[in-house]
Amino acid sequence: MNEMEMHMNIAILGLGTVGSGACEAVKSAIDLEVTRILVRRPKPEYADLQTEDIDDILNDPNIDLVAECIGGIHPALEYVLGAMEHGKHVVTANKALVSAHFEELENCARKNGVQFRFTPSAGGGIPWLYNLQRAGRCDTIEEVHGIVNGTCNYILDLMHTKGLDFAEVLRDAQELGYAESDPGADIEGWDTQRKCVISANLAFRTVIPEDSVPVLGIHHILAEDIAFFNENGLTCRLLMNASLQGDAVSAYVEPTLLTSAALESGVGTNYNMVSLTGKNVGPLSFYGQGAGKMPTGTSLVHDIIDIKDGISFSPSASTGPAPSKVDNTKTSHPYYFRIAAGASFPEEPIASEQVRNSYRYITTKPMTVSDAHALASRYENAFVAGYKE
Ligand SMILES: NC(=O)C1=CN([C@@H]2O[C@H](COP(=O)(O)OP(=O)(O)OC[C@H]3O[C@@H](n4cnc5c(N)ncnc54)[C@H](OP(=O)(O)O)[C@@H]3O)[C@@H](O)[C@H]2O)C=CC1
Ligand SMILES: N[C@@H](CC=O)C(=O)O
């Protein structure tokens, strides 16, 4: 970057939903210019800036920053590491990459004296991760939780409020640019798991392996489940949860049944709401669009502007202990299981049950998250959700 002019040249990798949103948002920013765009196949927009060769970007000394918007692990990982090794700052919205390679990416940025930022990787347009690391600078973050997947929220909201069909609403979410290229990542909960890992890593100054965070998705939800919830004044939302438990972290993802008193029950369409509790500050909540072209592209450009303006981001600077393992054996609450009428279920945890429409609707006594997720894994098409107490 020319320090006198404070002008920053940017390369965008990938011209899909987020990449094209970032290109548009840059137009409203001062002293930022997109000078190269990596595409896999030519696109009609920004034709003069396109290249299909990453080396055109890595070897261009005039490019100060690379914005990775292609998604997935490979070749995004190699491109991002390569950019940092060539002295370029990196921003990304790619939660799959950040969740799986957090430490490696952080180390590479430090080693090469560049900034690596990833605010839109959890919460889309919400400056959640930026504020989470900020909150941790002089506080101990005790827990984080919330709705972090716009696609699932859109599906659940429209099933609840409009009685729409799951597959139809998922198609809409894809058309609106909310869903991942493989929407299984959204509806099976993996995208939320990744955002949970990234949030927990920043909150608790740790590195949690993805596969230690158990996940229940929304892909088996039926109109019958929604009818049951509506009759009982409950709203279903997919939530991530992570909290400090001594020298461990409890972290899990599950559909959650909320009363109207819960803030998350009022979160509609592609919006997210994500919250932290700090020992000093108490609860803080953040609300906004969690997916979509302009919210996410704009958040990415805010990261770029922060780098240009020298605003620090210190993911490892929070205070407090650094727990190293995930343990869900001490967190418990009641669960909802909707299973086939003929399916067996252990007697001991059942608190109440209804049988109708060929299904058993079971509410359990409080169960540990680890026991409930293990029990859920025995049923192929069951819908299982936790009750928020
Ligand atoms: N959509 C959203 O609301 C949000 C997305 N994200 C994340 O942002 C990232 C991008 O998502 P999104 O924009 O929705 O995805 P899209 O599929 O819309 O865009 C990805 C783009 O990258 C291109 N691409 C893929 N591989 C390469 C490659 N090797 N070289 C060059 N270009 C390539 C694709 O090209 P082609 O057209 O040829 O397929 C496509 O245009 C993902 O990590 C996603 O998880 C994060 C927050 C919100
Ligand atoms: N598919 C994701 C996109 C943003 O992260 C979502 O629906 O939230």
Side-chain angles (χ1 to χ4, degrees), residues 133-195:
Q133 70 84 33
R134 192 171 180 276
R137 293 179 302 180
C138 59
D139 204 348
T140 299
I141 308 298
E142 296 172 331
E143 67 91 35
V144 292
H145 74 271
I147 299 168
V148 286
N149 185 276
T151 302
C152 290
N153 206 65
Y154 188 80
I155 293 171
L156 292 170
D157 184 34
L158 294 188
M159 287 181 81
H160 264 290
T161 57
K162 301 233 158 66
L164 297 184
D165 171 65
F166 184 104
E168 183 190 334
V169 198
L170 173 58
R171 267 195 305 279
D172 279 358
Q174 289 178 281
E175 274 163 28
L176 289 162
Y178 303 155
E180 297 300 299
S181 50
D182 169 8
D186 295 294
I187 61 176
E188 292 170 25
W190 308 117
D191 181 77
T192 299
Q193 180 200 49
R194 291 164 186 153
K195 292 164 174 170

Side-chain angles (χ1 to χ4, degrees), residues 35 62 235 280 317 324 371 386:
T35 56
N62 294 317
T235 302
N280 301 334
S324 56
D371 284 349

Side-chain angles (χ1 to χ4, degrees), residues 8 20 149 242 364:
M8 188 176 249
S20 59
N149 185 276
T364 73

Side-chain angles (χ1 to χ4, degrees), residues 81-267:
L81 293 174
M84 292 197 274
E85 281 155 10
H86 281 77
K88 301 178 193 314
H89 305 293
V90 170
V91 298
T92 183
N94 186 340
K95 44 276 160 104
L97 182 68
V98 180
S99 164
H101 292 276
F102 185 75
E103 215 170 6
E104 184 181 2
L105 294 164
E106 282 296 321
N107 288 340
C108 183
R110 209 168 299 115
K111 189 171 134 214
N112 291 288
V114 296
Q115 288 255 347
F116 173 66
R117 294 170 87 123
F118 44 87
T119 305
S121 68
I126 307 173
W128 156 244
L129 294 177
Y130 173 77
N131 281 293
L132 176 59
Q133 70 84 33
R134 192 171 180 276
R137 293 179 302 180
C138 59
D139 204 348
T140 299
I141 308 298
E142 296 172 331
E143 67 91 35
V144 292
H145 74 271
I147 299 168
V148 286
N149 185 276
T151 302
C152 290
N153 206 65
Y154 188 80
I155 293 171
L156 292 170
D157 184 34
L158 294 188
M159 287 181 81
H160 264 290
T161 57
K162 301 233 158 66
L164 297 184
D165 171 65
F166 184 104
E168 183 190 334
V169 198
L170 173 58
R171 267 195 305 279
D172 279 358
Q174 289 178 281
E175 274 163 28
L176 289 162
Y178 303 155
E180 297 300 299
S181 50
D182 169 8
D186 295 294
I187 61 176
E188 292 170 25
W190 308 117
D191 181 77
T192 299
Q193 180 200 49
R194 291 164 186 153
K195 292 164 174 170
C196 183
V197 166
I198 298 169
S199 302
N201 285 350
L202 286 196
F204 311 130
R205 204 184 51 185
T206 187
V207 180
I208 290 178
E210 278 176 2
D211 59 7
S212 65
V213 178
V215 174
L216 296 172
I218 65 160
H219 48 307
H220 294 312
I221 198 166
L222 300 176
E224 285 85 345
D225 296 305
I226 296 285
F228 183 90
F229 305 150
N230 283 344
E231 281 163 30
N232 289 283
L234 296 166
T235 302
C236 183
R237 293 289 182 259
L238 185 66
L239 258 60
M240 66 156 199
N241 305 271
S243 58
L244 276 181
Q245 306 278 335
D247 63 352
V249 171
S250 168
Y252 57 95
V253 171
E254 61 190 26
T256 304
L257 302 179
L258 306 156
T259 65
S260 57
L263 290 176
E264 292 85 356
S265 65
V267 176

Side-chain angles (χ1 to χ4, degrees), residues 16-18 39-41 43 69-71 93-95 177 180 291-292 296:
T17 303
V18 177
V39 292
R40 187 157 55 178
R41 48 199 160 136
K43 309 248 170 197
C69 308
I70 63 181
N94 186 340
K95 44 276 160 104
E180 297 300 299
T296 311

